[in-house]
Amino acid sequence: MITKDGPILVLGGLPINRQIIGIGKKCEPEKWIKGEKLSDEQCTLCRCGGSGNKPFCDGAHAKIGFIKLYSKYGAIIGFQ
């Protein structure tokens, strides 16, 4: 669920794992490697980009004045 001018609430125990880009012999991205489990419980995900605990929300949206503006063209991210 997306909150007004705030984070995304993840409900229902969606598993979230860190993914690592595996680099091949030619120094190019080759595959995704499953990393540590970050969460499998209800959590809040940052959508303002200001969290110091990404991908999770730490309340930074309130400090930096994050707002989500809407126009006839769709959503526009803005700051107050």
Side-chain angles (χ1 to χ4, degrees):
M1 179 170 85
I2 299 174
T3 63
K4 182 181 182 325
D5 302 332
I8 298 170
L9 299 177
V10 178
L11 307 172
L14 178 69
I16 300 173
N17 294 297
R18 184 175 308 277
Q19 297 289 309
I20 302 163
I21 300 173
I23 304 297
K25 292 179 182 177
K26 296 181 181 180
C27 295
E28 294 182 359
E30 191 171 84
K31 62 182 176 179
W32 287 103
I33 300 168
K34 187 175 180 179
E36 66 184 300
K37 180 178 274 190
L38 298 176
S39 176
D40 61 359
E41 301 174 0
Q42 179 176 322
C43 63
T44 55
L45 299 177
C46 174
R47 70 182 178 123
C48 75
S51 175
N53 189 29
K54 292 181 184 107
F56 302 104
C57 175
D58 68 358
H61 58 276
K63 297 174 196 155
I64 63 175
F66 175 80
I67 57 172
K68 188 79 167 196
L69 305 172
Y70 294 91
S71 72
K72 65 181 182 178
Y73 303 107
I76 303 168
I77 294 174
F79 297 92
Q80 293 178 328

